[in-house]
Amino acid sequence: METATIGGRRTLFVMATEHEYGPQLRARCRPLVTGVGPIEAAIGTTACLAACAAAGGLPERIVSLGSAGSRRCTLGQVYQVESVSWRDMDASALGFERGVTPFCDHPARISLPTPLPNVPVATLSTGADIVSGTRYDAIHADLVDMETFAVVRAASRFAVPVIGLRGVSDGPDAIAGLSDWTALLGVLDARLAQAVDALSRV
C-alpha cells in the first residue's frame, strides 16, 4: 500500500479484496486492501490512517474503489457515489432515524464529493450482507456494497475526504455463486482504471 499523487493530491486507494484489483488498476495504484465487510474496512482504514498520521503524512483524499451490486444501475458501468448510508444500523425503536448510530455525529446519508463530470452518480448503501434477488426491495439506494460507509466513518476521524467509485458487478439476477460476482471484474478493472485516470485531470 502507498499513496499516489493524483491530480496534485496525495491519494490513498482503498479496496476490499485482491479479486477486484486487476492488471489495469495494478498499473496505476497500490491500494490498501482491507478485507471484505464494514468491520474489516473500518479496522484496516483506521489502522492505516493512524500510521500515516504518526508518520506525519496523511493522504489528502481517499478513493473507495471496487464493485457494487445494483438492480437499478447499468451492469458493468462505473458510478461516483454521491451519498452513502449504513443499512445495518437500526435504532429506530429508541427514536433514532434508521441508519444513524445513537449518540454519534453522522446523518443517515453522508454526502460525498463527485468531481468527475463524465462519470454518472448514484447513491450507495453499505452493509454486512450480500444483497440479491428480492432483498433489493428493502434497499432505498441505487447501489449496494460492504465497505464504503465504514471507510468514510474512519476517514472522518482524520478529516480526510472520501470519493467513492464503484462498478456494477451484479444485481439484475439473483446471485447463485461466487462466479456471478467475479464474471465482470475484468471489465470493471478497465473502467475503474479509466475513472482513476480522470481523477488526475480534476
Side-chain angles (χ1 to χ4, degrees), residues 105-178:
D105 61 350
H106 68 81
R109 290 191 176 189
I110 300 174
S111 296
L112 302 185
T114 53
L116 302 179
N118 297 318
V119 178
V121 300
T123 58
L124 174 67
S125 168
T126 293
D129 59 327
I130 298 292
V131 178
S132 178
T134 59
R135 295 180 72 178
Y136 276 104
D137 294 345
I139 303 296
H140 301 294
D142 301 317
L143 304 168
V144 295
D145 84 341
M146 301 177 74
E147 294 83 27
T148 298
F149 187 91
V151 172
V152 169
R153 289 296 293 149
S156 71
R157 294 300 181 97
F158 297 86
V160 179
V162 177
I163 295 168
L165 291 174
R166 291 280 159 171
V168 181
S169 57
D170 56 85
D173 300 312
I175 295 174
L178 183 64

